[in-house]
Amino acid sequence: QSELGDLYRLTLTYEGEEVSEIHIDYFDTVPVAQALVILKTGFLFVASEFANHRLYQFLSIKGSDEADIIPMQIEIEGESIEIPHFAPRPLKNLLLVDELESLSPILDMRITDLAGEETPQMYALCGRGPRSSLRTLRHGLAVAEMAVSELPSNPLAVWTVKANNKELADKYIVVTFTNATIVLSIGETVEEVTDSGFLATDRTLSVSLLGDDMLLQVHPGGLRTVRSDKRISQFTPPGKGTICKVAVTQTQVVIAMIDNSIIYFELDAVGQLQERAKPEMGGGQIGALDLAPLSDGSKKGRFLAVGVCVDGQWAVRIISLDSGNFMSVVSRQALPAKPETLCIVEMALGAAGEGKSMLLFCGLENGVLMRIGMDAITGQLAPDFRTRFLGARPVKLFKVMVHETAAVLALSSRSWLVYNYQGRYQVTPLSYESLEYGSSFSSEQCPEGLVSVAGNTLRILTIQRLGEVFNQQVFKLAFTPRKMVLLNSAKCFVIIESDHNVDAAAAQAAGSTSLEDQEQDEEEDEEKMAYQIFGVQRAGVGKWASCVRVVDPVEGETKQLIEMWEDEAAVSVCVARFHDRPGEEFVLVGTATSMKLGERNGEGCIHTYSVSGTQLTLLHKTTVDGVPRALCAFQGRVLVGAGKMLRLYDFGRRKLLRKCENRRFPCMIVSIHTQGERIFIGDVAESFFFVKFNRSMNALSIFGDDTTARWVTSACCLDYDTMAGGDKFGNIFICRLPTNVADDTSDDPGGVGSFENSAGDGAMFKIEETAQYYVGETVTSLQKTALSPGGAEAIVYATIGGGVGSLQPFVSRQDVDFFMHLEMHLRGTYGARENKTEAEGGNYDHPSICGRDQLSFRSYYFPVKDVIDGDLCETFLSLDPKKQKTIADDLDRTPGEIAKKLEDMRNRLL
């Protein structure tokens, strides 16, 4: 493959064992790849250098036709030589089959809730050139709608049921309302039927399959069974009681009456439901019921879980259904709130080889999901349990199937899925609107899905890409995105895009900056489709194509597109308000003209735009000495970093008015942050500078700098004294002013420059490094934020390789000591180290996650300081159980307590 993405086919002609001729044909054009892999099954995997990776199928290996060759005559030393050329064309020999999503590279990122979903979304600028995009990342699994149908009123619940035990697909969807029930038949279409045998004039509490081919409907007035030959049997509770709760397996039924009595049924040998017992609950209120699932080869579940309130205290009781101790309480657990639903499932908590565990899930009225381990033989509940807050509404639990394994659908103010995927137990929200009831769904068209109720609609859904923490929505951009800022009034992003060595006119002719739907254009015009793969022809050094785009990320549409002048590149952007124009919002864009890569000097200007809704209007342009690579609003004015110079500008009618400046910065200003009177400057090669604005003297004074030279690529202000930064070598660091430093300057003229030292040894005060951590990739974005409602704040970072991570602060000294000692043990003999052979002195339990000694890796440029490696701590769960026990004993804890600590740290963030 060439550097432009063109693939070539090489044909070798042999004479004996020697190659006598090499024939090269143009094959196809794909994105520039880091690696190409040809599979024996006839596929080509393209590991793209940037953006998504692609999988192609070979349609042919013929190469180019003669029609693709364009002969060109050139003269070399007076002799005319014909050299074949070709024009890139759409795919002819390859067929795109699938894509593997990749965020590489992330150039900028913002985390905020623009969609009003209560949970913040991540908005990332990704890609390079024509494959650039704005991606919206939401925490949760992607959900696809297969069908949505409106119902006459708001339903209460929905179920699916098979015709018999041998069928793979469901036969009926049963939807219940306040005083009626409708039955929908599943086939090529879903339509209502009236001959199913179900009672349609009352509310339904449960529908399920009993035995091999008997359908069971439970309604407040009793139990109704429908056999395959349409014979119907009825059971009415004694004294015409009313049923309020029900739990069912394939051979068992348990119902709770409104008077808090319980009746237990079993299916006998001839397929009849027989009443077996009426367990006493001490007269307490019944909150929820569930039966243990049938184990492999067993005819009935061994335990009944009952949520009961006795003396004002809610608890869950486990009742044995074995013949030896029938209806005896074998275990109990107090609950902090009323259980809305109970759910007993068999699910693997760890790797697939460890086997399944029986778990009791309690959905509580206060929005908390509780998970309790349960012994599958004795029914004893584990003393430790896990809790997680899911939402503001009571939690409803439903047993569903995911990849042919048991899972739990938990519905609160947000929908969640509890499942095990690739050996890892996960609790992940669904990126979908709030659901009220759910059930598994299976048909010929949709082998594995969900049928659910939301408002007055019935929805059939499928869950996509299990195991992903975030799902993505992609909005295509024209050129490489550089930076973006948020227009709070319009809830839109202003994105600056620019590409070097690109002819702006050719790019416009190719349709890269068109406001029309690009996807539709690609289908209609093959040339535009090709542009998305290989772009336009190179224009030369110093040639730029650039634009400013206003994007509504919620609607996914461009509101305005402003093209820069020829060879003018947008390099910085900010939103500002000026005290001379109260109530108005302005967007300032810093540009460079004919800038060459690698050069720090150049000509630049600042474009000032007024904001009206989602539209920008150019007011004026201000010429600047140097390239304005950093802009930041500051107290009704704007700070501009151009080369080694920091300037303060105010608004003017024809241009921005310069008020003051400071030229003492060593290399080049790349970032500006402000808080109060303080200004934090990031230098390209000399770390951070702390600057004070003296309002009375109208001067900018440097009073603090760093003793360590760092090539800053990203920065984030944590508080009035603290900055977090990332450098181009892959380090994240946090630096802070000493506690005894005060930057208050006096108003007299003698105090203006008192902080600046002219002896050449920098500022008067030196900032101290408080934390240091090597990530391994260049950090391009840092932001202090919370990723979930009520979650803890963390420093979220993005890298040029497409990675997203976080640095989470500890809240107690006990947690610091615990994780520090756990990290030490995992570094040691029982943990992950270099993958050496036993002869080399290795013989460790498993290879290191970073391919070398973990401590050396995290200290690659600077010694790691005051940061615990969370990725290393997570490897505890993959250790051998004996090694887990050994480490836990050294920490005076149990393996379950360590696992709970790790889970609690994850839940604090997401």
Side-chain angles (χ1 to χ4, degrees), residues 834-847:
E834 293 179 80
N835 191 14
K836 295 182 179 179
T837 63
E838 188 172 355
E840 295 173 327
N843 195 24
Y844 299 117
D845 295 301
H846 58 285

Side-chain angles (χ1 to χ4, degrees), residues 767-780:
I767 57 181
E768 300 173 346
E769 183 182 280
T770 60
Q772 159 66 38
Y773 188 71
Y774 177 67
V775 175
E777 298 179 75
T778 301
V779 179
T780 56

Side-chain angles (χ1 to χ4, degrees), residues 1 4-7 28-32 36 44 46 56 91 94 533:
Q1 187 186 46
L4 301 180
D6 300 322
L7 295 176
D28 260 331
T29 299
V30 299
V32 178
L36 298 172
L44 172 68
V46 178
Y56 294 91
L91 294 177
L94 296 173
I533 299 176

Side-chain angles (χ1 to χ4, degrees), residues 142-157:
V143 176
E145 289 182 347
M146 303 298 291
V148 178
S149 300
E150 288 194 7
L151 298 173
S153 62
N154 288 7
L156 301 178

